[in-house]
Amino acid sequence: VRSVAWVHASLFVTAGQRQVKFWALEGGSKVSTPTGLRRAAGMGGSGSLSALDTQPLKGRACVLGEHRDATISCVVGNGYTTNSQSTPAPEDSLVFGVSSTGMLLRFQSSDRKVDRCVPLNASSAAAVDARRAPDGGQGGTVVCGVSDGRLRLFTFNLDPLAVVDTPHSLSHAVIATQFEGDAIHVVYSDRTFCCWDLQDIQAPVKQRCLDFHGAGVWDVDTCEEQGENLAAGAIVTVSADKSMRFWNLSGGDAGDKRVTGSELAQVIVTEPTQESVPKKQGSRDKSPDGLRCVKFSRDGQLVACGDFRGNVRLYDTSTFEQTSFIEAHQAEVLSLDFSHPLSGSLLATSSRDRLVHVFDVNRGDVVQTLDHHSAAVTSVGFAASVASDKLWLVSCGADKAVYFYENDGLEAAATSLELTRSRQVQERGVIYDLCIDPGTCKYAATVGQERRMKVLDIATGEEKQCVKTTASDEANVTKIDIDPTGLFVACACSDKTVQLLDFYS
């Protein structure tokens, strides 16, 4: 049984694979709650012990005709509720159902037959609801949610009324719908929840939308600068569902409200591409899909994301259009970082293929490749000093090493980058993440298997601090970030906790 719904006070209907059945309560009597159960629930009142008796029901099958091989995914009566002031008479009761073949069916409860049907122009449908006319008349509205993410509205006679489009550019199936007054609540298969205002049924308005990712979120970054479509403090998230989503959480005026009804400013879905990783003949590809990491440029004008296939994409945040596509690595991209604006438009990427590449964003080509790591490079970050006129690059990896590279001359890096390895720090465990102190750009903080945050001086490689960041002896610290003022540091742990620390104490 896939669905059950009341038709009126003494009749309900069930539906499922190749069957629709009507079930009548004999004599139309209502079953009351026993006194003992009411008292136990704190409801008081009286009840009848006979209500505990089992009442046998015999279902009467509906004649499906040409739809006999279909699965009826969902059924609903024509507006009956326990609190309804306009309950339809039994002889006027209608039942609406949607099938796995993408059809809307109407049943007459009096003769239990399909008297009308209409195609929904979709491969399948899984949600339907109905409401009676507000004035209590015989008319009403039926809404069907289909596999392409649209809502299709009909009269009780199955005449088309309107089509409600998907809430954003992602097309995901509708899995549940429910009327509430002039609004309809919709749940989509990608975990999106949306509320549509149907006061003007020809022009539905999105009242509220909770646009969650449809799979695990791998990375998040914050835009510090005000943009045309993004407020200062906006964040971007990337997920295994192949989407990148921008959120205006500060409540500012910036942001494209076409997708709105929520804090979501924009959704970008990455197009399927051919893999940059060559396959061996007869091998099975087990690498996951989706986006792995993301980073805003320092001025907030660009955002870069890396995927599990080793590709890097760059987008203009003013238009949300893709500006570059780079086949950067032979394995998943684990980290990204943009350089200081004075050093030109440089982007560093690290990967499980043990390489660090530095790209010129304007030209889209590799400026330099660093291959000193002997295992996956888990994180990479730029640091710049205007006072000493130097550009540094710091990387860490699963080989338990932190490498420091430097280039003399900030502006010279824009035309002739030549990063040289200045020092190496060897730790006792795998290093999962690092971040650069944005306040001074003098320190790099790392976390890893040692369950400690270590603060290293970028210029000398000297360890300045070592702090245990988790109370558990089994949890690892997997991510670290320092706030823009350089005063606080946040550490995410594998025990589902986040530690917030004073960076200097």
Side-chain angles (χ1 to χ4, degrees), residues 14 140 185 188 294 326 339 356 456:
T14 60
H185 306 299
Y188 299 85
V294 68
I326 306 170
S339 66
V356 175
L456 307 175

Side-chain angles (χ1 to χ4, degrees), residues 33-53:
T33 305
T35 305
L37 296 181
R38 294 179 64 87
R39 289 175 180 171
M43 295 187 295
S46 61
S48 172
L49 289 178
S50 63
L52 291 175
D53 296 338

Side-chain angles (χ1 to χ4, degrees), residues 181-251:
D182 289 326
I184 183 168
H185 306 299
V186 188
V187 180
Y188 299 85
S189 59
D190 67 339
R191 307 178 188 178
T192 297
F193 172 83
C194 192
C195 178
W196 295 92
D197 186 345
L198 298 180
Q199 290 186 15
D200 183 356
I201 205 166
Q202 299 299 327
V205 176
K206 189 190 306 179
Q207 286 184 332
R208 183 68 177 165
C209 195
L210 305 178
D211 307 273
F212 304 120
H213 280 286
V217 177
W218 277 103
D219 201 10
V220 60
D221 194 35
T222 306
C223 181
E224 303 299 337
E225 301 293 331
Q226 174 81 32
E228 182 179 341
N229 287 323
L230 295 175
I235 67 171
V236 59
T237 55
V238 291
S239 167
D241 65 2
K242 304 180 186 179
S243 74
M244 179 164 54
R245 304 189 183 210
F246 298 84
W247 311 81
N248 279 324
L249 301 183
S250 61

Side-chain angles (χ1 to χ4, degrees), residues 84-303:
S84 176
Q85 301 299 320
S86 58
T87 302
E91 61 273 12
D92 297 328
S93 298
L94 301 173
V95 174
F96 302 95
V98 289
S99 71
S100 58
T101 55
M103 299 290 292
L104 171 61
L105 312 176
R106 192 183 80 170
F107 306 90
Q108 289 283 356
S109 61
S110 56
D111 56 8
R112 303 184 311 282
K113 291 182 180 180
V114 178
D115 68 339
R116 291 195 182 185
C117 63
V118 62
L120 296 172
N121 300 324
S123 58
S124 63
V128 64
D129 198 18
R131 67 169 181 181
R132 297 183 65 80
D135 57 2
Q138 294 300 314
T141 308
V142 181
V143 60
C144 302
V146 296
S147 57
D148 63 4
R150 292 180 172 86
L151 300 175
R152 301 187 182 275
L153 286 83
F154 300 86
T155 65
F156 276 5
N157 290 326
L158 304 194
D159 298 322
L161 285 176
V163 176
V164 181
D165 211 346
T166 56
H168 46 66
S169 56
L170 295 174
S171 293
H172 288 276
V174 177
I175 60 175
T177 61
Q178 184 178 29
F179 276 111
E180 184 177 350
D182 289 326
I184 183 168
H185 306 299
V186 188
V187 180
Y188 299 85
S189 59
D190 67 339
R191 307 178 188 178
T192 297
F193 172 83
C194 192
C195 178
W196 295 92
D197 186 345
L198 298 180
Q199 290 186 15
D200 183 356
I201 205 166
Q202 299 299 327
V205 176
K206 189 190 306 179
Q207 286 184 332
R208 183 68 177 165
C209 195
L210 305 178
D211 307 273
F212 304 120
H213 280 286
V217 177
W218 277 103
D219 201 10
V220 60
D221 194 35
T222 306
C223 181
E224 303 299 337
E225 301 293 331
Q226 174 81 32
E228 182 179 341
N229 287 323
L230 295 175
I235 67 171
V236 59
T237 55
V238 291
S239 167
D241 65 2
K242 304 180 186 179
S243 74
M244 179 164 54
R245 304 189 183 210
F246 298 84
W247 311 81
N248 279 324
L249 301 183
S250 61
D253 294 333
D256 186 354
K257 301 302 180 183
R258 290 172 300 174
V259 206
T260 192
S262 71
E263 296 84 1
L264 185 67
Q266 187 60 266
V267 179
I268 295 176
V269 184
T270 56
E271 297 294 332
T273 58
Q274 293 196 354
E275 305 163 34
S276 58
V277 183
K279 289 185 181 180
K280 295 181 181 180
Q281 187 175 5
S283 65
R284 293 184 178 181
D285 177 33
K286 295 184 179 180
S287 55
D289 291 322
L291 301 179
R292 180 64 172 79
C293 54
V294 68
K295 195 72 176 180
F296 278 110
S297 62
R298 305 298 172 97
D299 58 7
Q301 298 301 310
L302 291 174
V303 63

Side-chain angles (χ1 to χ4, degrees), residues 64 72 82 138 166 181 198 205 210 240 274 318 323 335 360 381 385 393 428 443 456 459 493:
L64 296 178
I72 309 302
T82 54
Q138 294 300 314
T166 56
L198 298 180
V205 176
L210 305 178
Q274 293 196 354
S318 62
T323 60
S335 179
D360 185 303
S385 172
L393 182 69
R428 290 182 292 178
Y443 307 107
L456 307 175
C493 308

